[in-house]
């Protein structure tokens, strides 16, 4: 039987009423937890594992997949409207999305995120169904040296893409890199910069930093400038829906996002956040309206949102074909498979074909369901912006605090006083976020540094350890060389363009993305 | 907060009206990992078999379990309804993190499960047997790269013990730490490293599919249905099992300790527990009371020794 017949058969199974109910529960729950900062799909799936033990395996796996897709989508809503990213993968969405929302274009921003996620999910799921075995071979060929080259590419394109002043951007990036050093070093087991505080042993949680810098920093800034409170925000200016112009500008970004997101999601050390960063810088380079970046460019929402959804599907490639979980959610879904006595891996497609194809088909169903659920709600969501500011920011503060405590329940006790260290961090980084804004430093590079820094360091050290210290290994594979060439182009092309007298355009990239 | 609420809802829905001890089990790890699964399986079986009334699981992740352990010792003092799940990884983490709180601060109840660490190579590797691996290691220890979990964990300790047993300086081993079995698996399958060490479960499906060659497993006995010798049979005198245990609060009375022991013993004997073990591929290594305490002390001493030799603990 061909792949296509199997997929059709899977679709028949996934369209059974009970399966549809599971998918619906999954996407609804997923969207809800995606909205809450800190509480992500991984946590939700883990908490549901014992409950689903008694359910039918196909149904619960379909529900988990729905949660995963829903979470990827839900994170974008708060990013766009409240400048509070729910997941690390939707940090970039906040940059352009929130600017759009403030200009009364929240509706189109949400719509392009929803439709982009749908299209990316659709294409990526089909890719998963048809070319998974080849993709996985390609992903496995990536060694530590290649990953390091990928990180270098991400660093260069991302830091070049943020902010008007390279110096300020790089300063912010290095704050993030410094924060990334905190904690136990994976290669040697030694503690770095933790100052004897046990809560710092595992490093700084990315969501804590992101929520603090974006949400708390923003709240402090608003609170410190009374004029901000009086400023009227127009929730809707023009149409709530995307205009023809918006469609024209979005479709290519969706496709680019998809083709960046899917392979990176399939890589064992890739991830949705890396994919969304790369997509953002790609959009910035390809856009016909680079001057709008930092002011609310729709491409900057469409691309990264498509990329993070496509990478969610990409994650399922190594999970289903190799039994290799590449994200926290995938790891917990693996535990879910094992709970039902299924062993994902090369033999899963042979031994449990019906189940696998039903799962893949139900991803298509969940994807469509997300679109149907979310498009009509956009009109309602954007009304969030009309809430009076003091209430809105009070709400954001409680959201951020609850999410942070929910994800890190550890309580410290010093001199008889119990407190949550994570909340202290949230507050401290919130103040940092305020100061960065106050003095015109971009926020995003700090978070990017924290995410990419440790990855780059580990990959570099692994590569050098395997080669026993010979640096030639870094340039030994064709993949790495190609990535370095692309990085060099990304670095030199703007200089070249400026020399050709097109500097005016780049000069207008002046941004302040708070 | 939300987690507690959800957990309360979940347990509320499943609880049966029995008049038995209530328990709160801390999993000192994020949801989904081995300790969390162990805690949730205990929760489920204790409730289903009517051994306990209401059982809740809380997660306090971080630093190899030492953050959860510190909070447990602080808050559970003398409280017989508080349990914590832990394991071999915690023994290493306590030593490498110089944790102020150790397993001496809790009341160990029983070892529940154990998993053998497997030594594998990619299918196309020239290394066919443990003897080949030993020969390669003796020739040039640096040229043999070992992929496994984080530094100081069971996988790393096994690599150190292996080197020691075959007469190679353990500080010379070229151990590449990955953040989890999955990432290590990718590097092994991709031929980036020479040899992989991780829990057998992480490699099982690849071994069955012929993508990886299983050289040996580290346990006391061979695994049922798995065609590979133990390390001792293959001539390397090392036995290591990555066990998981359950412990109770510090400062409880001997009577309270005996009661908890009885509940856990009843759980281990139940059909529900045995089915859960089979479903998850966990090996029953139940050992309780003073025998477990003696074994634990032995494991701690051995781990301390090897971690010092590898140079992770000064």
């Amino acid at each position: 039987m061909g792949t296509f017949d199997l997929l059709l058969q899977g679709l028949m199974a996934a369209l059974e009423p009970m399966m549809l109910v599971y998918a619906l529960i999954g996407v609804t729950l997923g969207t809800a937890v995606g909205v809450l900062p800190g509480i992500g799909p991984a946590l939700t799936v883990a908490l549901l594992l014992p409950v689903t033990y008694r359910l039918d395996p196909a149904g619960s796996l379909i529900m988990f997949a729905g949660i995963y897709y829903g979470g990827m989508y839900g994170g974008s809503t708060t990013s766009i409207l409240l400048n509070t990213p729910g997941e690390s993968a939707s940090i970039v969405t906040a940059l352009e999305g929130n600017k759009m929302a403030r200009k009364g274009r929240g509706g189109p921003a949400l719509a392009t995120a929803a439709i982009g996620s749908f299209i990316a999910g659709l294409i990526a799921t089909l890719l998963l169904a048809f070319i998974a075995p080849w993709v996985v071979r390609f992903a496995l060929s990536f060694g530590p040296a290649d990953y390091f080259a990928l990180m270098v590419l991400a660093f260069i394109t991302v830091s070049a893409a943020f902010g008007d002043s390279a110096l300020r951007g790089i300063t912010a990036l290095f704050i993030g890199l410094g924060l990334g050093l905190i904690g136990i070093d994976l290669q040697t087991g030694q503690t770095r910069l933790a100052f004897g505080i046990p809560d710092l042993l595992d490093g700084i949680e990315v969501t804590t930093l992101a929520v603090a810098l974006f949400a708390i920093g923003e709240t402090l800034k608003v609170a410190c400038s009374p004029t901000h409170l009086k400023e009227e925000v127009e929730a809707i200016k023009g149409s709530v829906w995307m205009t023809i112009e918006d469609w024209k500008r979005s479709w290519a970004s969706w496709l680019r996002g998809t083709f960046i997101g899917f392979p990176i999601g399939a890589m064992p050390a890739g991830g949705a956040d890396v994919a969304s960063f790369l997509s953002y810088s790609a959009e910035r380079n390809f856009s016909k309206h680079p001057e709008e970046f930092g002011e609310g460019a729709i491409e900057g929402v469409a691309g990264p949102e498509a990329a993070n959804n496509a990478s969610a599907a990409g994650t399922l490639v190594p999970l289903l074909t190799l039994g290799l979980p590449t994200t926290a959610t995938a790891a917990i879904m693996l535990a879910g498979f094992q709970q039902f006595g299924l062993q994902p891996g090369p033999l899963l497609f042979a031994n449990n074909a019906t189940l696998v194809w039903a799962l893949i088909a139900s991803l298509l169903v969940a994807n469509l369901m997300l679109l149907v659920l979310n498009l009509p709600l956009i009109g309602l969501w954007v009304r969030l912006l009309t809430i009076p500011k003091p209430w809105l920011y009070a709400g954001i503060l409680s959201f951020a605090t609850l999410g942070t405590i929910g994800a890190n329940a550890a309580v410290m006790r010093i001199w008889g006083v119990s407190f949550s260290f994570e909340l202290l961090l949230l507050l401290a980084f919130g103040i940092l976020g305020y100061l960065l804004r106050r003095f015109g430093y971009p926020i995003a590079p700090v978070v990017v540094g924290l995410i990419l820094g440790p990855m780059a360091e580990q990959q570099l050290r692994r590569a050098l350890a395997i080669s026993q210290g010979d640096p030639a290994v870094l340039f030994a594979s064709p993949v790495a060389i190609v990535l370095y060439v692309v990085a060099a182009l990304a670095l030199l092309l703007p200089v070249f363009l400026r020399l050709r007298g097109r500097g005016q355009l780049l000069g207008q990239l002046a941004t302040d993305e708070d | 907060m939300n987690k507690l609420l959800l957990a309360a809802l979940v347990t509320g829905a499943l609880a049966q009206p029995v008049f038995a001890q209530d328990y709160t089990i801390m999993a000192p790890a994020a949801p989904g990992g081995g300790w969390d699964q162990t805690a949730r399986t205990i929760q489920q079986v204790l409730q289903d078999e009517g051994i306990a009334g209401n059982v809740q699981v809380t997660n306090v992740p971080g630093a190899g379990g030492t953050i959860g352990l510190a909070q447990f010792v602080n808050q559970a003092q003398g409280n017989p309804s508080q349990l914590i799940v832990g394991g071999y990884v915690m023994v290493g983490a306590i030593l490498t993190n110089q944790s102020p709180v150790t397993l001496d601060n809790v009341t160990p109840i029983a070892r529940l499960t154990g998993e053998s660490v497997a030594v594998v190579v990619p299918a196309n590797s020239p290394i066919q047997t443990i003897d080949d691996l030993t020969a390669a290691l003796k020739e040039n220890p640096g040229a043999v790269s070992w992929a496994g979990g984080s530094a100081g964990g069971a996988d790393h300790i096994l690599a150190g013990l292996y080197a020691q047993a075959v007469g190679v300086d353990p500080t010379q081993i070229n151990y590449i730490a990955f953040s989890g079995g999955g990432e290590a698996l990718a590097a092994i399958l991709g031929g980036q490293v020479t040899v992989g060490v991780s829990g057998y479960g992480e490699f099982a499906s690849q071994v069955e599919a012929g993508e990886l060659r299983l050289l040996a497993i580290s346990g006391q006995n061979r695994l049922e249905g798995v065609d590979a010798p133990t390390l001792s049979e293959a001539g390397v005198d090392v036995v290591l099992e990555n066990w998981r245990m359950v412990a109770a609060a510090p400062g409880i009375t001997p009577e309270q300790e005996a009661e908890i022991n009885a509940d856990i013993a009843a759980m281990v004997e139940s059909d529900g527990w045995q089915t859960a073990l089979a479903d998850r591929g966990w090996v029953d290594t139940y050992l309780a009371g003073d025998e477990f305490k003696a074994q634990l002390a032995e494991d701690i001493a051995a781990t301390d020794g090897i971690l010092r030799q590898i140079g992770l603990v000064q």
Side-chain angles (χ1 to χ4, degrees):
Chain A
M1 211 176 342
T3 307
F4 196 71
D5 297 328
L6 286 166
L7 184 63
L8 273 186
Q9 217 176 44
L11 264 179
M12 297 305 286
L15 286 172
E16 275 173 36
M18 248 350 257
M19 296 298 143
L20 285 178
V21 172
Y22 285 127
L24 181 69
I25 298 177
V27 294
T28 316
L29 262 178
T31 311
V33 299
V35 165
L36 266 184
I39 314 256
L43 194 63
T44 318
V45 173
L47 291 172
L48 283 175
L49 267 186
V51 187
T52 55
Y53 191 60
R54 290 172 180 73
L55 300 180
D56 140 51
S60 32
L61 291 176
I62 284 168
M63 187 162 81
F64 293 160
I67 292 176
Y68 194 24
Y69 268 26
M72 280 294 156
Y73 178 75
S76 64
T77 308
T78 45
S79 273
I80 291 171
L81 295 177
L82 306 178
N83 206 11
T84 308
E87 317 295 324
S88 59
S90 46
I91 288 167
V92 194
T93 313
L95 298 183
E96 302 300 322
N98 190 249
K99 288 279 186 207
M100 286 182 71
R102 285 175 188 205
K103 291 186 169 169
R105 310 231 314 126
L110 288 174
T112 197
I115 300 169
S117 296
F118 170 72
I119 289 178
L122 186 73
I123 297 176
T125 309
L126 291 175
L127 290 175
L128 167 69
F130 290 98
I131 61 163
W134 292 280
V135 174
V136 87
R137 287 289 143 218
F138 169 72
L140 279 185
S141 70
F142 262 63
D146 307 309
Y147 278 119
F148 179 67
L150 182 70
M151 298 302 153
V152 169
L153 173 65
F155 272 130
I156 288 181
T157 55
V158 166
S159 49
F162 290 126
D164 53 342
S165 144
L167 185 63
R168 280 167 193 256
I170 287 173
T171 309
L173 182 70
F174 271 80
I175 295 177
L177 291 177
L179 291 174
L181 290 176
I182 295 174
I184 296 171
D185 169 41
L186 188 67
Q187 295 302 320
T188 59
Q190 299 306 306
T191 315
R192 300 189 295 201
L193 299 172
F195 304 104
I197 301 167
D199 297 76
L200 285 178
L201 289 180
D202 278 346
I204 306 280
E205 188 72 42
V206 174
T207 42
T208 304
L209 180 75
V211 167
L213 290 182
F214 281 88
I216 312 273
E218 170 92 6
T219 311
L220 289 175
K221 187 184 171 196
V222 169
C224 288
S225 53
T227 48
H228 262 81
L229 277 176
K230 294 194 192 92
E231 179 190 314
E232 277 300 311
V233 169
E234 270 181 288
I236 302 161
K237 195 164 88 185
S239 170
V240 181
W241 305 110
M242 289 168 67
T243 60
I244 295 178
E245 171 72 8
D246 289 335
W247 281 94
K248 274 189 190 152
R249 290 177 56 178
S250 291
W251 72 268
S253 308
W254 292 333
L255 292 183
R256 273 194 294 268
T258 308
F259 289 103
I260 291 175
F262 184 71
I264 292 189
M267 286 175 194
D273 32 23
V274 179
S276 66
F277 298 154
L278 285 174
S279 163
Y280 181 77
S281 27
E283 288 315 315
R284 198 166 175 149
N285 284 326
F286 283 109
S287 171
K288 291 199 181 75
H289 308 270
E291 73 285 356
E292 280 185 29
F293 271 77
E295 301 295 330
I298 195 164
E299 293 94 335
V301 178
E305 274 303 308
N308 76 30
N309 250 51
S311 94
T315 305
L316 294 175
V317 172
L319 182 69
L320 293 179
T321 54
L322 296 175
L324 199 118
T326 54
T327 62
T329 316
I332 293 164
M333 281 176 71
L334 181 67
F337 278 102
Q338 284 162 344
Q339 169 172 289
F340 297 113
L342 303 168
Q343 184 65 50
L347 303 178
L348 183 69
F349 276 86
N351 296 345
N352 300 84
T354 354
L355 183 69
V356 176
W357 286 103
L359 175 70
I360 292 179
S362 70
L363 290 174
L364 295 173
V365 175
N367 209 358
L368 184 67
M369 227 171 232
L370 270 174
L371 188 70
V372 172
L373 267 183
N374 284 297
L375 275 185
L377 285 178
I378 287 177
L380 192 70
W381 281 123
V382 289
R383 265 167 237 284
L384 265 181
L385 293 173
T386 57
I387 297 176
K389 282 224 172 143
W391 299 7
L392 182 63
Y393 282 100
I396 291 178
L397 270 188
S398 354
F399 242 177
T401 316
L402 279 180
T404 308
I405 298 198
N408 297 280
V411 173
M412 254 183 122
R413 179 180 281 189
I414 291 178
W415 302 306
V417 186
S418 296
F419 60 94
S420 160
F421 186 77
E422 206 67 24
L423 273 192
L424 277 189
L425 278 184
L426 187 76
L427 201 66
F429 288 137
I431 294 170
L432 174 70
Y434 167 68
L435 293 174
L436 289 174
R437 270 161 227 270
R438 172 74 184 70
F439 297 105
Y441 285 85
I443 303 291
V446 183
V447 186
V448 171
L450 179 66
I451 295 175
L452 295 183
M455 285 178 163
E457 187 207 342
Q458 292 302 330
Q459 300 295 2
L460 174 64
R461 287 171 60 193
R462 276 179 201 143
L464 291 176
I466 292 171
S467 74
Q468 299 186 65
D470 178 8
V473 71
L474 297 178
F475 304 95
S477 86
V479 178
I481 294 169
V482 169
L483 288 169
Y484 285 124
V485 169
V486 176
L489 280 180
L491 197 65
L492 298 176
L493 211 56
V495 179
F496 180 68
L497 288 180
R498 199 170 287 143
L499 289 177
R500 290 269 309 267
R502 287 173 60 187
Q504 301 90 331
L505 248 189
L506 286 142
Q508 286 167 13
L509 298 189
T511 49
D512 168 19
E513 92 239 355
D514 62 345
Chain B
M1 185 70 187
N2 288 31
K3 217 179 334 182
L4 279 181
L5 263 177
L6 245 176
L9 282 177
V10 168
T11 45
L14 300 179
Q16 289 162 359
V18 271
F19 301 98
Q21 170 82 41
D22 287 348
Y23 286 111
T24 301
I25 308 172
M26 178 186 285
W35 290 343
D36 178 64
Q37 286 182 47
T38 307
R40 288 176 198 278
T41 310
I42 297 174
Q43 170 191 37
Q44 192 191 327
V45 175
L46 283 179
Q47 287 183 159
D48 287 359
E49 303 287 333
I51 299 165
N54 189 352
V55 182
Q56 296 196 14
V57 173
T58 58
N59 295 85
V60 181
T66 51
I67 292 184
L69 185 70
Q71 184 170 330
F72 182 79
V73 169
N74 260 329
Q75 295 181 347
Q77 180 73 30
N79 184 344
S81 70
Q82 302 276 336
L83 300 177
I84 185 170
V85 167
Y88 187 59
V89 175
M90 199 185 253
V91 173
I94 289 171
L95 294 166
T96 49
N97 299 346
Q98 297 162 0
S99 166
V101 176
T102 69
L103 290 179
D104 294 336
N105 297 90
V106 295
T107 312
I109 297 294
R111 183 178 73 191
L112 296 174
T113 61
E115 186 178 38
S116 271
V117 177
V119 182
V120 299
V121 291
N124 58 5
S125 162
I127 295 174
Q128 299 291 334
T129 62
I130 283 291
D131 289 339
D132 294 347
L133 177 61
T134 305
L137 194 65
K138 281 185 168 165
E139 196 187 315
N140 182 356
V144 177
S145 48
W146 302 72
S150 57
D155 308 340
H156 192 179
I157 291 173
L158 180 75
L161 288 171
Y162 187 108
Q164 197 181 32
V166 301
V168 171
D169 178 2
T171 56
Q172 296 299 310
I173 56 171
N174 188 1
Y175 185 81
I176 320 287
F178 289 82
S179 50
E183 220 186 309
L185 177 57
I188 303 160
L189 286 174
Q192 317 283 350
V193 292
T194 319
V195 48
V197 274
S198 196
Y200 177 68
E202 309 256 14
F203 298 143
S205 70
Q206 304 299 328
V207 171
E208 279 165 37
E211 301 269 336
L212 292 178
R213 180 161 45 249
L214 178 61
L215 298 182
I217 50 128
S218 69
Q220 189 86 51
N221 304 308
R222 284 185 181 227
L223 291 176
E224 215 172 295
V226 176
D227 179 29
T230 64
L231 278 175
S232 318
E233 287 170 4
V236 180
D237 188 20
V238 171
V239 174
L240 185 142
E241 253 168 16
N242 191 357
W243 46 261
R244 295 180 194 144
M245 62 150 190
V246 62
I252 56 173
T253 66
E255 293 78 35
Q256 288 167 334
E257 188 183 336
E259 260 174 52
I260 298 171
N261 249 317
D263 280 351
I264 295 295
M267 174 192 82
V268 170
E269 280 158 23
S270 70
D271 289 342
W273 179 254
Q274 293 303 334
T275 320
L277 289 186
D279 283 350
R280 286 170 167 75
W282 294 344
V283 179
D284 187 351
T285 57
Y286 179 65
L287 185 71
D290 292 338
E291 285 171 49
F292 173 50
K293 287 179 185 169
Q295 179 66 43
L296 183 60
E298 224 173 86
D299 279 355
I300 293 175
T303 309
D304 186 65
I306 189 66
L307 285 175
R308 275 174 205 285
Q309 289 214 6
I310 304 175
L312 282 178
V313 174
Q314 258 83 42

